[in-house]
Amino acid sequence: MKAAHAMDVDVEAELGRVGIAANKGDFANEDLYTTVDQAVDFINKTRADALAIAIGSAHGYYVETPHLAMKRLQEINKAIDTPLVLHGGTGIPEDQLKQSFKLGSTSSTWPPNILPCSTRRLKISNRSKRKRIIFSACGIIRKK
Ligand SMILES: [Zn+2]
C-alpha cells in the first residue's frame, strides 16, 4: 500500500469471499459475506482506496440468480468512508444493481445494461487525491 501510494497509485482491495459464480455455495452462503467489523478493521489497517466486499455476488456466470445482502452493504457503507465496489456484476438483476448503487456501491465490474454510476452517488474518501480509481471504474462501465 505504501509503495502504491508513494507512486500516486490507488489500491482496490477485496475482502471476504467473493467466489466463483459457478459455485452456488460461494455466493449464497451468508457466513462468507464481509462483516462490518472486518471492513472497519481492514480499512483501518490498510487504508485501501476502494473496497470490494462479499455480499452475495461472485465472479463469472451465475448458476442461479444471486440475491445481494443489501442490509449488509448499507451497514458497511455507513461504517467506513472508503468507496465500495461490487465484484461479479454480470448476471445480477438490474433492480438489485441499482439498489446496491443507492445503498453504497460506487462501481461494479462489468454490469450489463446498467446506468453508469453517477458522481453524486460516489462516496469519495477523505483523502481527496484518491478519486481516480472510481472514475476509471465508471469509465469501464460506460464503455460496455
Ligand atoms: Zn473480485
Side-chain angles (χ1 to χ4, degrees):
M1 199 68 65
K2 284 180 183 171
H5 287 172
M7 296 169 63
D8 204 25
V9 171
D10 298 314
V11 177
E12 177 181 311
E14 183 175 293
L15 180 65
R17 180 170 171 82
V18 182
I20 306 299
N23 303 325
K24 185 184 174 192
D26 280 7
F27 61 89
N29 182 356
E30 294 182 20
D31 292 339
L32 302 176
Y33 295 176
T34 308
T35 68
V36 174
D37 288 346
Q38 286 171 335
V40 169
D41 184 54
F42 184 83
I43 289 302
N44 283 340
K45 286 177 177 164
T46 67
R47 310 311 299 169
D49 304 291
L51 184 65
I53 55 174
I55 54 166
S57 65
H59 307 105
Y61 294 95
Y62 293 95
V63 288
E64 73 180 50
T65 303
H67 299 281
L68 300 180
M70 299 297 181
K71 187 166 179 271
R72 184 72 55 89
L73 169 62
Q74 198 167 24
E75 290 167 351
I76 292 173
N77 187 48
K78 280 182 185 168
I80 61 175
D81 187 47
T82 306
L84 300 176
V85 182
L86 183 68
H87 284 189
T90 302
I92 294 176
E94 188 172 329
D95 62 326
Q96 289 191 54
L97 278 177
K98 286 180 176 174
Q99 181 71 1
S100 81
F101 277 80
K102 283 180 188 163
L103 296 179
S105 295
T106 55
S107 65
S108 180
T109 49
W110 310 113
N113 307 319
I114 185 72
L115 295 171
C117 48
S118 65
T119 52
R120 69 187 165 81
R121 293 237 171 92
L122 295 182
K123 184 177 178 185
I124 301 299
S125 160
N126 286 331
R127 289 155 288 151
S128 60
K129 288 182 70 179
R130 307 275 172 219
K131 296 180 181 176
R132 285 163 297 123
I133 191 169
I134 302 307
F135 293 115
S136 67
C138 290
I140 291 170
I141 291 170
R142 287 194 181 100
K143 279 183 190 168
K144 290 296 280 186

